[in-house]
Amino acid sequence: MPPPSLRNIVVLESRSRWEPELQRQFVNEPVRVRGCRTIKELSSLTFPSTIASSAEIADVVVLQISENAAAGLQWLTSLATQPQAPSVIILCPSESAELEWTLRDAGARDVLIDEYSGERLARCCRGIW
């Protein structure tokens, strides 16, 4: 039986919180969790430019939109033109809850508002696979 294929999660957040939490949630699974702080870095991790990096293409992107919702929404909208776009989970603070359907219409797979945990976020990722 072949080993399970490696899954890749990229987390965009201003401070490292969900990246280490997801690493802990997936400690015994073939999942690589990488974090980034900018949209530019997110794009390079999501769509590597080299063929050697193709095995590192993100399956799931976790996007925390608390600081720069406009840039996150713009990036999410740009995924529609990508042939192998990852599924996107949005972490949204309650003060931005009115953006939920805009984010879903733009392509977000899940929008978690305010109250979420590492277990719930990991469960969302597993549900996508």
Side-chain angles (χ1 to χ4, degrees), residues 109-126:
R109 168 79 183 256
D110 288 304
V111 179
L112 304 181
I113 298 174
D114 203 24
E115 295 294 325
Y116 36 84
S117 66
E119 288 177 359
R120 182 172 179 204
L121 186 52
R123 200 169 39 249
C124 287
C125 292
R126 286 184 186 101

Side-chain angles (χ1 to χ4, degrees), residues 4-11 22-23 25-34 55-62 85-89 109-110 118-129:
S5 52
L6 181 68
R7 301 291 187 172
N8 290 291
I9 300 172
V10 176
V11 181
L22 285 174
Q23 288 169 341
Q25 291 290 328
F26 291 109
V27 73
N28 293 319
E29 297 177 50
V31 177
R32 177 182 10 209
V33 180
R34 295 174 291 166
E56 298 178 6
I57 293 174
D59 300 297
V60 175
V61 169
V62 176
S87 296
V88 179
I89 299 170
R109 168 79 183 256
D110 288 304
E119 288 177 359
R120 182 172 179 204
L121 186 52
R123 200 169 39 249
C124 287
C125 292
R126 286 184 186 101
I128 290 169
W129 300 322

Side-chain angles (χ1 to χ4, degrees), residues 65 69 92-104 111 113:
I65 64 159
C92 186
S94 58
E95 56 270 8
S96 300
E98 73 278 357
L99 294 175
E100 178 180 3
W101 289 104
T102 302
L103 293 164
R104 289 183 185 279
V111 179
I113 298 174

